[in-house]
Amino acid sequence: MVNRKSGVPAFRQVATDLREKIAAGQYAPGDQLPSEREMVETYGVSRPTIREAVDMLRAEGLVTSEHGRGVFVRPPASIQRIARSRLSREARGRNRGAFLADAAARGFTPSTSVKIRFEEADSRTATHLAVSEGAELTVRDRVMRADGLVVQIAVSRLPRELTRDTAIEQVDTGKGGAYARREEAGHTLGSFIEHVGARMPTPDEASLLQLADGVPVMTVTRVAYGEDGTPLEMNDMVLAADRYELSYEWPAD
Amino acid sequence: MVNRKSGVPAFRQVATDLREKIAAGQYAPGDQLPSEREMVETYGVSRPTIREAVDMLRAEGLVTSEHGRGVFVRPPASIQRIARSRLSREARGRNRGAFLADAAARGFTPSTSVKIRFEEADSRTATHLAVSEGAELTVRDRVMRADGLVVQIAVSRLPRELTRDTAIEQVDTGKGGAYARREEAGHTLGSFIEHVGARMPTPDEASLLQLADGVPVMTVTRVAYGEDGTPLEMNDMVLAADRYELSYEWPAD
DNA sequence: GAGTGGTCTAGACCACGTT
DNA sequence: ACGTGGTCTAGACCACTCC
């Protein structure tokens, strides 16, 4: 029963109560919550009020509701740890991208499809690639699937001058991938910088990545630099935050 | 006006329409959306339906609503870039933690408060610190403020054996901070690993960090290792995802 | 068919901010 | 005083799942 005089909205009291019971293990991961109509009786409020409370927990990623079945406590997703800062020349040759290796390790059959297009640099891209706004870019859109299911979307952008008449403008970049082609062209890689952020997904991303409510995405922008410090490539990735964790390692000195 | 026969729920149609108008710039950042009662007329649906649509946009972090004023398009927050993998011995001496330096750079007067406590290792901590579950830990809770406003919470955990009878068990660790004390005790730092994830905040975190709806947090767990590879410290941080971006740099080879 | 969540209505009253 | 969002009700009907 909710306290009508506390000043705390009824749906908030219900949400807090449910949250505490979940935290205490009274409703364990995978358990079904009481039905909305049951809770109407328990708490003495109307169904829309109960639903507002449940909506809150859903937005927090605590529960999921399944039409016709019930509301369930979300079991913690098994998160996949991805070691970054490991893109050594050797590793680049072995793996064809970190994510393909991941998928293989988890027993999924990975597949990717690539599309090539060209566009003009916006201000963010121009900054990262040290080109002027509007400069021509080669863009490689890569969609990665595990067992047919979209797991990751990666967009790679390069200054067009660096790619004209190279295999990088082909869908199949050949043995060793795009980095190998770039090194053949005299652009030896010097370093990488990754910028990591997080936000809520757009509806498109949510359906593509099959995200439950209350699951944010991590955005990773990796910029590859030549030995002279010239930016060679910018790679944007979007990852489901309940499935991945990124690990970075570096020496203390 | 919503299409009643499309099968798409009315609140979803309204949300999509508003989202498109925001994306197109028809409602620019900072602009006020039409009032809910106006939209009731425009779209020909009831107010709860309009509210459900607006709730959706709020959960996506697209708009914020202000009681008594209106609903506004969220201006993109100015994100602060934090360069990690820069904790050189020199830099550690200069800065007293990366975040204090950040706050100073932005013109805020930073302040921190520290509490010391002791606890037993749970399974996650035990794994990271390579101790057995239940082992005694020294815990330093640090709350960082900028102009009195909580900006960050950091929890540092160390095996108690390494800290007994050292200044690390004191609130004030002295000149050079906790790392300096550890190096004096013969534990020279060898490397760091940071694990980065993201999730929706708990209600506590949301109010402490003053997060708007639809803003996730990034979680950063940094483990410091000795030169022999022994884990010395584990540091958990929680950051507002609309205020920070993490940058990691490493050589290509 | 019975039970579940999903959508929607037409109101009501409250709390807040502005004028 | 007025307009805004915030909360809440008591229903109704639909869509889905399971028996």
Side-chain angles (χ1 to χ4, degrees):
Chain A
M1 278 294 178
V2 304
N3 177 352
R4 253 41 230 256
K5 304 188 212 165
S6 69
V8 180
F11 76 90
R12 234 169 251 285
Q13 294 184 44
V14 174
T16 301
D17 188 64
L18 292 172
R19 206 182 285 114
E20 279 168 359
K21 283 177 172 156
I22 289 169
Q26 188 164 339
Y27 301 129
D31 279 4
Q32 179 172 5
L33 260 48
S35 81
E36 296 177 349
R37 284 157 179 94
E38 257 182 85
M39 292 197 270
V40 165
E41 304 301 323
T42 316
Y43 293 104
V45 297
S46 69
R47 184 145 91 101
T49 301
I50 294 292
R51 282 187 63 80
E52 204 170 350
V54 174
D55 283 350
M56 241 188 132
L57 301 188
R58 259 202 332 208
E60 290 168 22
L62 266 181
V63 303
T64 49
S65 40
E66 299 181 26
H67 195 170
R69 301 219 318 125
V71 178
F72 301 87
V73 179
R74 277 252 307 273
S78 83
I79 62 113
Q80 175 77 6
R81 191 167 293 167
I82 306 179
R84 313 297 292 173
S85 51
R86 288 291 197 211
L87 300 180
S88 70
R89 195 162 283 119
E90 183 206 8
R92 287 201 300 279
R94 265 203 322 275
N95 310 344
R96 316 212 319 123
F99 286 88
L100 292 192
D102 284 338
R106 300 174 84 184
F108 295 130
T109 58
S111 64
T112 68
S113 51
V114 178
K115 272 192 297 195
I116 310 280
R117 48 178 238 268
F118 303 98
E119 71 176 23
E120 297 186 345
D122 63 10
S123 79
R124 189 184 76 98
T125 310
T127 305
H128 281 311
L129 289 180
V131 297
S132 47
E133 223 173 303
E136 197 178 6
L137 303 174
T138 304
V139 185
R140 296 174 57 91
D141 288 309
R142 222 164 15 146
V143 178
M144 286 131 138
R145 278 171 248 260
D147 287 347
L149 196 147
V150 175
V151 165
Q152 216 221 334
I153 308 160
V155 181
S156 168
R157 281 173 239 259
L158 310 91
R160 180 92 199 257
E161 293 100 63
L162 302 182
T163 67
R164 216 181 291 273
D165 304 323
T166 73
I168 294 172
E169 297 195 1
Q170 308 302 316
V171 166
D172 182 359
T173 50
K175 189 165 175 297
Y179 283 138
R181 291 297 83 71
R182 223 150 315 154
E183 300 214 324
E184 283 167 14
H187 292 106
T188 313
L189 286 170
S191 60
F192 297 98
I193 298 184
E194 282 194 354
H195 306 282
V196 183
R199 57 171 171 76
M200 290 315 279
T202 65
D204 282 358
E205 290 168 338
S207 71
L208 215 69
L209 298 175
Q210 306 192 61
L211 298 173
D213 285 323
V215 178
V217 292
M218 286 191 277
T219 58
V220 181
T221 302
R222 184 179 65 227
V223 184
Y225 295 87
E227 283 183 319
D228 58 355
T230 326
L232 300 178
E233 185 218 17
M234 178 181 103
N235 202 340
D236 283 300
M237 289 164 277
V238 175
L239 289 76
D242 67 342
R243 298 202 272 265
Y244 293 108
E245 175 183 277
L246 305 172
S247 299
Y248 296 90
E249 177 175 8
W250 68 93
D253 247 347
Chain B
M1 279 291 178
V2 304
N3 176 352
R4 252 44 229 255
K5 305 188 210 164
S6 69
V8 180
F11 76 90
R12 232 169 256 285
Q13 294 184 45
V14 174
T16 302
D17 189 62
L18 292 172
R19 206 183 285 114
E20 279 168 359
K21 282 177 171 155
I22 290 169
Q26 188 164 338
Y27 301 129
D31 278 5
Q32 181 172 6
L33 260 48
S35 81
E36 297 178 348
R37 284 154 179 97
E38 257 181 84
M39 292 197 269
V40 165
E41 303 302 323
T42 316
Y43 293 103
V45 296
S46 69
R47 184 146 93 102
T49 302
I50 294 291
R51 282 188 63 80
E52 204 170 350
V54 173
D55 282 351
M56 242 187 130
L57 301 189
R58 258 201 332 204
E60 290 168 21
L62 267 180
V63 303
T64 48
S65 39
E66 299 180 26
H67 196 169
R69 302 218 317 126
V71 178
F72 301 86
V73 179
R74 275 253 305 275
S78 82
I79 63 115
Q80 176 77 6
R81 190 168 292 166
I82 305 178
R84 312 298 291 172
S85 52
R86 289 289 198 210
L87 300 180
S88 71
R89 195 161 285 121
E90 183 206 7
R92 286 201 300 279
R94 264 204 322 273
N95 309 344
R96 316 212 318 121
F99 286 87
L100 292 192
D102 284 338
R106 299 174 84 183
F108 296 129
T109 57
S111 65
T112 68
S113 52
V114 177
K115 272 192 297 195
I116 310 280
R117 48 178 239 266
F118 303 97
E119 71 176 22
E120 297 187 345
D122 63 10
S123 77
R124 188 183 77 98
T125 310
T127 305
H128 281 310
L129 289 180
V131 297
S132 47
E133 224 172 301
E136 197 177 6
L137 302 175
T138 304
V139 185
R140 295 174 57 90
D141 288 310
R142 223 165 12 146
V143 178
M144 287 131 138
R145 279 170 248 261
D147 287 347
L149 194 148
V150 175
V151 165
Q152 215 219 336
I153 308 161
V155 181
S156 167
R157 279 173 241 258
L158 309 93
R160 180 92 200 255
E161 294 101 60
L162 304 181
T163 68
R164 216 180 292 274
D165 303 323
T166 73
I168 295 172
E169 297 196 359
Q170 308 303 316
V171 165
D172 182 359
T173 51
K175 188 162 177 296
Y179 283 137
R181 291 299 83 70
R182 224 151 315 156
E183 300 213 325
E184 284 167 13
H187 292 106
T188 313
L189 286 170
S191 61
F192 297 98
I193 298 185
E194 281 194 356
H195 306 283
V196 183
R199 57 171 171 75
M200 291 314 280
T202 63
D204 283 357
E205 290 168 338
S207 71
L208 247 150
L209 299 175
Q210 306 192 61
L211 298 173
D213 285 322
V215 178
V217 291
M218 287 192 278
T219 58
V220 180
T221 301
R222 183 179 66 226
V223 184
Y225 296 87
E227 282 184 317
D228 58 355
T230 326
L232 299 179
E233 186 218 15
M234 178 180 103
N235 202 340
D236 283 300
M237 290 164 275
V238 175
L239 288 74
D242 67 342
R243 297 202 273 264
Y244 293 108
E245 175 183 274
L246 305 172
S247 299
Y248 296 91
E249 177 174 11
W250 69 94
D253 245 348

